[in-house]
């Protein structure tokens, strides 16, 4: 007998199974990334995005379609990281708009949800590229719309949709030559298929792991009161602990009798026997009764009695003082003169942090290749900058979508995302900001000026691959430019200089080098001297960036 519909409880389980299915394969998905750099990219970003939603979904005790839709959409939107994570969150956003109004999910509802999910995701990307997760999602949506007239059995429906999704995924190398050359399918599309397959396993009755760590809350999101410190009813006031040094007969029966007695006068009972000593813990209103009973078995040591009601009152006072201080700080913050403009920049490394602060950044978000900040990280930063207009500098192409998503969720401030793809671009953008111009004019100028900067990033390869007809071996030093590979070598310095030669032109005036935390200062200075000899018509600047993963960041103007 087939499955004609999915209720809210089953949908909750299926979503959690899909999340766990992706999490289990995240490292494999990371390895599908075309560029073999150690940036933990697609699999990690998609997993962190879906797990942010899964934590909210798992916390719902009595799910409805509406509550599930809200948890999936809100959790994934705020938890979204990287381009793949943002697109996944948009797929969930479209999907949940359809299921929110349904009493149960049928094949028809699923088909409509898949179509709406794809439409929503495509709209979120300024320049959709085929051969990616978007293509795989659209292929499944089209198949779902076709199948809805052929079967009402959800299991049959889902199986055929997944089979078609796998087929579309297998064709992605034919759509993107860079995938074909590297011999891989699209990593984002593969991640989406893992979500689908995990959910299908659950629907099919397979035993799957649904465990998700749920954060404990003191109140629900809508403001309903939860268990706060003030609400606690302390039934037994004294926390009583001691050790019995056994001197009289004490066996299993005696221990059961002792525990039974303690249960009659208190709770939170722990009785642990260890050779000739018994460790005891009990909450009671009369510690003397517990002590008198214990003395029938032997002498006592390490006695400790705490008045929990008194401790509770002290805690309440401290919490009240803390809350008062926070409220005072909030009032002071609001009273401060709001700035006309402010800057939020993504940075990585102490040296780069100092540079950004020195040129006017108000708030720094730590991130980049090793960790793409989430939409929630962006929203928190926006909240902390007291300005009418806030410019966000993502400084990484994989962070721009998350910044744009945060922008769409802010209503009380004007947020402008300057689409900087590298640290040098972000620095150039802030430097060219003009306070007297309008936000729109500044957006235009900052974007134009940073586009004139050529950038290079030098790191190492974590696996074998081929890109732009260049064979790359695990451990090779790679220099990545704005449009692809600049140089590949076995040693750092020659590879950096080769990359510079590819970037510097006759009209170039300035070469700026930021060295990472894994580069010695003397080696960086030696590199600077050689660059000055090679490019005598340019000024060469050297800065300690302190960035991880990348040995050097280079900009040429």
């Amino acid at each position: 007998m087939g499955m004609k519909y999915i209720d809210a409880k089953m949908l909750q389980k299926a979503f959690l199974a899909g999340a766990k299915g992706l999490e289990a394969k995240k490292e494999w998905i990371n390895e599908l990334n075309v560029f073999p750099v150690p940036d933990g990219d697609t699999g990690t970003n998609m997993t962190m995005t879906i797990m942010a939603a899964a934590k909210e979904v798992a916390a719902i005790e009595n799910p409805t379609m509406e509550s599930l839709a809200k948890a999936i959409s809100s959790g994934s939107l705020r938890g979204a990281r990287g381009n793949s994570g943002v697109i996944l969150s948009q797929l969930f956003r479209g999907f949940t708009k359809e299921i929110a109004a349904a009493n149960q999910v049928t094949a028809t509802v699923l088909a409509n949800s898949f179509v709406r999910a794809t439409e929503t995701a495509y709209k979120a990307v300024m320049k959709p590229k085929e051969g990616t997760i978007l293509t795989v999602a659209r292929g499944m949506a089209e198949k779902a719309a076709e199948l809805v007239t052929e079967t009402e059995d959800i299991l049959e429906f889902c199986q055929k949709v997944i089979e078609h999704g796998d087929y579309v995924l297998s064709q992605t190398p034919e759509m993107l030559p860079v995938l074909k050359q590297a011999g891989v399918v699209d990593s984002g599309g593969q991640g989406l298929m893992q979500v689908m397959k995990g959910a299908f396993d659950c629907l099919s009755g397979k035993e799957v792991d649904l465990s998700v760590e749920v954060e404990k809350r003191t109140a629900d999101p809508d403001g309903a009161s939860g268990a706060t410190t003030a609400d606690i009813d302390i039934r037994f006031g004294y926390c009583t602990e001691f050790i019995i040094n056994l001197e009289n007969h004490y066996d299993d029966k005696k221990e059961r009798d002792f525990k039974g007695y303690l249960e009659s006068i208190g709770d939170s009972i722990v009785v642990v026997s260890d050779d000739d000593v018994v460790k005891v813990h009990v909450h009671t209103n009369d510690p003397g009764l517990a002590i008198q009973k214990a003395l029938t078995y032997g002498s006592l040591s390490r006695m400790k009695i705490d008045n929990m009601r008194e401790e509770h009152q002290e805690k309440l006072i401290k919490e009240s003082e803390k809350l008062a201080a926070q409220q005072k700080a909030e009032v002071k913050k609001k009273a401060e003169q709001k700035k006309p403009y402010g800057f939020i920049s993504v940075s990585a490394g102490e040296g780069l942090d100092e540079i950004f602060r020195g040129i006017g950044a108000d708030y720094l978000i730590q991130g980049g290749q090793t960790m793409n900040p989430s939409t929630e990280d962006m929203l928190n930063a926006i909240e902390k900058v007291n300005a009418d207009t806030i410019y966000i500098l993502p400084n990484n192409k994989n962070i721009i979508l998350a910044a744009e998503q945060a922008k769409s969720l802010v209503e009380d401030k004007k947020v402008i995302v300057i689409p900087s793809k590298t640290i040098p671009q972000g620095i150039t953008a802030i430097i060219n900001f003009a306070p007297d111009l309008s936000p729109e004019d500044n957006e235009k100028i900052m974007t134009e000026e940073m586009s004139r900067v050529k950038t290079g990033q030098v790191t190492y390869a974590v696996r074998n691959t081929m890109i732009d007809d260049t064979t790359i071996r695990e451990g090779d030093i790679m220099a990545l430019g704005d449009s692809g590979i600049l140089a590949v070598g076995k040693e750092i310095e020659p590879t950096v200089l080769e990359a510079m030669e590819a970037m510097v032109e006759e009209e170039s005036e300035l070469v700026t080098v930021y060295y990472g935390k894994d580069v010695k200062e003397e080696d960086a200075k030696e590199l600077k001297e050689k660059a000055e000899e090679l490019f005598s018509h340019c000024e060469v600047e050297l800065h300690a960036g302190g960035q991880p993963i990348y040995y050097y960041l280079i900009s040429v103007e």
Side-chain angles (χ1 to χ4, degrees):
M1 184 176 178
M3 180 184 292
K4 295 296 180 66
Y5 69 89
I6 303 170
D7 61 17
K9 194 66 179 177
M10 179 54 74
L11 182 62
Q12 180 186 42
K13 292 179 180 179
F15 181 81
L16 295 176
K20 297 291 284 188
L22 174 58
E23 183 181 45
K25 296 289 186 179
K26 71 177 181 180
E27 293 303 332
W28 173 51
I29 294 167
N30 281 339
E31 291 174 3
L32 294 176
N33 290 328
V34 174
F35 285 99
V37 295
D39 60 5
D41 214 359
T42 308
T44 299
N45 286 334
M46 292 183 74
T47 296
M48 296 184 78
T49 299
I50 198 171
M51 292 309 291
K55 288 178 181 179
E56 295 198 20
V57 170
I60 302 174
E61 292 184 5
N62 298 302
T64 63
M65 292 299 177
E66 186 176 1
S67 65
L68 287 176
K70 182 179 179 181
I72 294 170
S73 180
S74 175
S76 61
L77 281 173
R78 290 178 172 273
R81 297 174 187 268
N83 293 343
S84 55
V86 171
I87 292 172
L88 183 63
S89 73
Q90 290 296 322
L91 288 169
F92 288 147
R93 184 184 180 198
F95 180 87
T96 55
K97 283 181 179 178
E98 284 293 323
I99 68 165
N103 293 322
Q104 57 191 25
V105 176
T106 62
T108 300
V109 172
L110 269 183
N112 293 338
S113 299
F114 287 170
V115 171
R116 190 160 183 179
T118 303
E119 291 173 348
T120 304
Y122 266 88
K123 288 178 183 177
V125 181
M126 189 173 295
K127 295 180 180 179
K129 183 177 289 187
E130 299 304 330
T132 64
I133 182 176
L134 291 171
T135 306
V136 177
R138 188 181 65 188
M140 286 192 287
E142 290 172 350
K143 187 65 175 179
E146 173 189 320
L147 287 169
V148 78
T149 60
E150 299 177 10
T151 181
E152 295 181 353
D153 183 353
I154 285 181
L155 293 180
E156 180 184 358
F157 173 88
C158 289
Q159 184 174 6
K160 290 184 177 179
V161 168
I162 289 172
E163 287 174 354
H164 188 69
D166 277 336
Y167 169 73
V168 176
L169 178 65
S170 72
Q171 297 304 300
T172 55
E174 302 302 322
M175 304 175 207
L176 285 176
V178 68
L179 294 178
K180 189 169 186 177
Q181 191 175 44
V184 296
V185 296
D186 177 65
S187 54
Q190 185 68 71
L192 179 60
M193 294 312 302
Q194 294 309 128
V195 176
M196 294 290 294
K197 290 173 181 178
F200 181 70
D201 283 345
C202 180
L203 294 176
S204 301
K206 291 185 180 179
E207 187 173 338
V208 292
D209 177 18
L210 301 179
S211 60
V212 174
E213 184 179 344
V214 179
E215 295 179 3
K216 295 181 179 179
R217 300 177 181 176
T218 57
D220 65 41
D222 297 321
S225 61
T228 65
T229 305
D231 296 327
I232 297 173
D233 177 19
I234 301 178
R235 183 182 175 194
F236 298 103
Y238 296 94
C239 175
T240 306
E241 296 177 292
F242 51 81
I243 290 177
I244 305 173
N245 302 297
L246 292 174
E247 296 170 355
N248 302 320
H249 178 68
Y250 186 86
D251 55 17
D252 290 344
K253 183 180 183 305
K254 290 280 188 180
E255 182 169 305
R256 287 195 298 271
D257 291 343
F258 183 42
K259 286 182 179 178
Y261 178 78
L262 293 177
E263 287 172 355
S264 71
I265 63 169
D267 64 7
S268 299
I269 294 157
V270 178
V271 177
V272 180
S273 301
D274 184 14
D275 294 331
D276 56 351
V277 299
V278 180
K279 298 176 183 178
V280 180
H281 172 279
V282 59
H283 291 175
T284 178
N285 286 327
D286 195 337
L289 293 176
I291 290 171
Q292 288 173 19
K293 184 66 174 179
L295 284 170
T296 63
Y297 304 116
S299 60
L300 307 185
S301 63
R302 298 189 185 180
M303 299 176 65
K304 181 173 176 286
I305 301 173
D306 294 321
N307 187 330
M308 293 191 295
R309 292 190 179 95
E310 186 177 282
E311 290 179 349
H312 179 57
Q313 290 300 319
E314 290 176 357
K315 187 174 182 181
L316 281 177
I317 292 170
K318 289 180 180 178
E319 287 186 353
S320 297
E321 291 173 347
K322 183 179 179 181
L323 180 60
Q326 288 175 341
Q327 291 175 340
K328 184 177 180 180
E330 287 296 320
V331 171
K332 182 180 178 182
K333 181 180 177 181
K334 290 178 180 178
E336 289 176 354
Q337 180 79 32
K338 181 179 277 191
K339 296 167 48 176
Y341 57 84
F343 300 97
I344 296 170
S345 177
V346 175
S347 181
E350 293 181 3
L352 295 174
D353 291 351
E354 289 182 15
I355 291 170
F356 275 115
R357 290 192 186 99
I359 58 178
D362 297 277
Y363 192 92
L364 299 178
I365 301 175
Q366 292 304 307
Q369 291 302 105
T370 53
M371 176 58 73
N372 294 156
S374 67
T375 299
E376 183 75 32
D377 293 331
M378 298 285 182
L379 290 171
N380 290 337
I382 292 169
E383 175 65 25
K384 287 180 172 65
V385 177
N386 192 18
D388 292 314
T389 301
I390 298 174
Y391 298 85
I392 300 181
L393 300 147
N395 301 334
N396 186 297
K397 66 180 181 180
N398 211 30
I399 300 176
I400 295 173
L401 273 184
E404 291 285 0
Q405 187 152 280
K407 170 185 173 181
S408 70
L409 297 173
V410 176
E411 298 178 354
D412 60 338
K413 298 176 182 178
K414 184 179 182 65
V415 178
I416 296 174
V417 177
I418 305 298
S420 53
K421 296 179 180 179
T422 63
I423 293 287
Q425 284 187 355
I427 291 171
T428 301
I430 294 186
I431 289 173
N432 282 279
F433 175 81
D436 297 334
L437 297 180
S438 69
E440 291 74 20
D441 287 341
N442 265 309
E443 179 180 9
K444 181 179 179 182
I445 290 172
M446 292 165 76
T447 303
E448 287 178 350
E449 289 301 318
M450 75 179 188
S451 68
R452 296 191 175 98
V453 178
K454 294 181 181 179
T455 60
Q457 304 174 92
V458 182
T459 185
Y460 58 93
V462 294
R463 64 179 181 278
N464 299 336
T465 190
M466 178 173 283
I467 302 173
D468 299 336
D469 295 323
T470 301
T471 299
I472 300 169
R473 302 292 181 189
E474 181 180 346
D476 281 356
I477 306 302
M478 299 171 55
L480 306 175
D482 297 322
S483 301
I485 301 291
L486 293 172
V488 176
K490 298 297 181 184
E491 297 180 6
I492 297 174
E493 185 180 282
T495 305
V496 176
L497 293 174
E498 184 181 343
M500 287 181 178
E501 287 186 288
M503 297 168 67
V504 176
E505 298 178 348
E506 288 184 9
E507 61 270 23
S508 299
E509 298 178 352
L510 175 65
V511 177
T512 308
V513 181
Y514 307 88
Y515 63 91
K517 69 174 186 177
D518 294 325
V519 176
K520 295 179 180 178
E521 183 179 0
E522 55 266 32
D523 291 340
K525 287 181 177 179
E526 185 177 331
L527 174 71
K528 177 180 182 290
E529 292 174 0
K530 291 184 178 180
E532 287 173 333
E533 292 177 8
L534 281 173
F535 314 112
S536 56
H537 65 292
C538 292
E539 180 182 354
V540 180
E541 291 186 355
L542 180 67
H543 300 280
Q547 70 273 4
I549 304 298
Y550 287 85
Y551 300 118
Y552 288 97
L553 301 178
I554 309 162
S555 71
V556 176
E557 301 175 51

